Amino acid sequence: MDTRYLQTFREVAKWHSFTRAAEVLGYAQSSVTTQIQNLEQEFGVTLFERWGRKIRLTHAGEVLLEYSGQLLGLLDEAKAQLSEEAQLAGTLTIGTVESLAAFYLPPYLQQFRREQPQIRVLLNPGICYELRQGVKEGTYDFAVVLDWLQSHPDLESVNLGEEELVVIASPEHPLTSRKRVEASDFNGEQWIFPEAGCSYRSMIESVLRDSGASLEPSLEFGSLEAIKQCVAYGLGIALVPMIAVAEEVKKGTISVLPFAHPDIRVYRQLVYHKKKWMPRAMRHFFNLLTEGMPAREI
């Protein structure tokens, strides 16, 4: 049964008039008549009877009016719950890369938790390709990735700003004394890479190959912390986001080499499915990210 029939029935009962109900609802009078007839056929009863120039409810109509009030009231309550409280509870599943999870997102998560305490947030780490695939398949509500700018037919990507990448080494490394380091200067250097599939690993490997620098047998870790520790102990050099090593650089346990290359640039990006329904909590988190809340000041 179409619940609109009950709404129409209630208006006719209220005004004791098909014509007046049609005016209030914005229907043609014939539509109101048809809907009431459909209700009468559904229940097998007569709902209205003529009383002079007016109409009035039959006994069956009075019974249905009571139940229709209860049914429509429950529907209104359900709509209110879904539009308000239901959107202020539940879980947001976010895919992101380790460096952003550890050094970029925490202030935003803190602010979000203050403002939306009923929402549970799950952070799942991964590499950018897998994160985008997870958003496409519905594994994540959205993802915050660190990658080059790109488009996808099923996904929306919002650029949240460029993230600085730096090559780090132990303070005793010979290249730290240089005023400028070129890609060719890395010939013969031992690299410590993040796992395969990491966007900026692919970038530095491509730049090294183009410059003719040989890629020595390298170490590979899935943990950013392990990479930093190995660099600090002089086991090699690495390309990492600056935000991930800011404290170590400040303390002097790691040095940043004076190297830059136009092909090594990544951006923080908010990625979500174009057809994704966005509850209020998700939109609120998006607003925190896109409005550029001063992360370091929280």
Side-chain angles (χ1 to χ4, degrees):
M1 182 193 301
D2 192 330
T3 56
R4 289 177 300 174
Y5 294 174
L6 292 177
Q7 293 172 330
T8 298
F9 165 70
R10 189 166 61 174
E11 288 298 318
V12 174
K14 176 182 178 180
W15 299 106
H16 304 284
S17 169
F18 283 74
T19 303
R20 180 59 177 150
E23 291 174 355
V24 170
L25 295 170
Y27 294 156
Q29 184 173 334
S30 58
S31 296
V32 171
T33 302
T34 300
Q35 290 184 33
I36 298 302
Q37 290 174 345
N38 288 339
L39 273 179
E40 292 178 329
Q41 292 174 6
E42 177 74 24
F43 292 108
V45 296
T46 299
L47 298 174
F48 294 98
E49 60 183 355
R50 288 284 176 183
W51 188 261
R53 294 185 178 181
K54 292 284 187 177
I55 60 171
R56 69 178 185 182
L57 289 168
T58 63
H59 175 69
E62 290 176 351
V63 173
L64 181 60
L65 182 61
E66 182 177 348
Y67 280 111
S68 65
Q70 295 177 33
L71 289 169
L72 293 173
L74 285 172
L75 284 174
D76 290 340
E77 183 180 337
K79 290 177 181 177
Q81 291 289 330
L82 290 173
S83 63
E84 298 292 338
E85 293 182 14
Q87 294 192 40
L88 297 176
T91 301
L92 276 182
T93 304
I94 307 171
T96 191
V97 295
E98 181 189 3
S99 57
L100 296 183
F103 302 100
Y104 174 71
L105 287 175
Y108 296 94
L109 293 169
Q110 181 190 54
Q111 184 70 10
F112 180 79
R113 187 174 181 180
R114 287 173 179 168
E115 298 172 358
Q116 305 282 344
Q118 305 96 327
I119 300 295
R120 182 186 179 206
V121 178
L122 295 180
L123 279 184
N124 293 325
I127 57 177
C128 293
Y129 170 78
E130 294 174 348
L131 295 174
R132 281 193 171 88
Q133 191 65 23
V135 172
K136 182 179 178 182
E137 295 172 355
T139 304
Y140 309 120
D141 291 309
F142 62 94
V144 185
V145 303
L146 194 60
D147 208 344
W148 61 81
L149 297 176
Q150 54 190 278
S151 60
H152 191 286
D154 298 318
L155 304 177
E156 292 285 359
S157 294
V158 179
N159 181 5
L160 300 176
E162 185 173 357
E163 193 65 60
E164 183 183 7
L165 292 174
V166 292
V167 176
I168 57 172
S170 71
E172 294 78 25
H173 195 284
L175 290 178
T176 58
S177 61
R178 298 278 190 94
K179 292 184 177 180
R180 181 180 177 86
V181 175
E182 304 291 343
S184 57
D185 295 327
F186 293 131
N187 187 43
E189 290 292 336
Q190 171 105 33
W191 282 87
I192 304 173
F193 287 128
E195 60 188 316
C198 173
S199 59
Y200 51 84
R201 170 178 174 169
S202 300
M203 292 177 185
I204 188 64
E205 286 179 328
S206 177
V207 167
L208 291 173
R209 282 193 297 267
D210 291 345
S211 70
S214 61
L215 282 170
E216 295 297 314
S218 58
L219 298 175
E220 179 179 312
F221 293 102
S223 165
L224 187 57
E225 190 61 35
I227 292 174
K228 292 194 294 183
Q229 288 296 321
C230 288
V231 169
Y233 278 95
L235 298 178
I237 60 176
L239 178 72
V240 296
M242 181 62 192
I243 55 171
V245 293
E247 286 300 316
E248 288 82 358
V249 172
K250 184 177 180 180
K251 293 176 181 177
T253 58
I254 285 177
S255 295
V256 173
L257 299 182
F259 169 77
H261 195 283
D263 292 338
I264 303 178
R265 300 182 71 178
V266 293
Y267 301 82
R268 301 181 301 275
Q269 297 166 64
L270 174 61
V271 179
Y272 60 95
H273 201 288
K274 290 181 177 179
K275 296 182 179 179
K276 172 71 176 176
W277 175 72
M278 292 189 191
R280 180 182 301 178
M282 185 169 167
R283 294 197 302 269
H284 184 72
F285 200 101
F286 281 15
N287 288 337
L288 288 178
L289 293 174
T290 56
E291 289 172 4
M293 187 187 72
R296 304 305 185 272
E297 295 178 12
I298 295 299

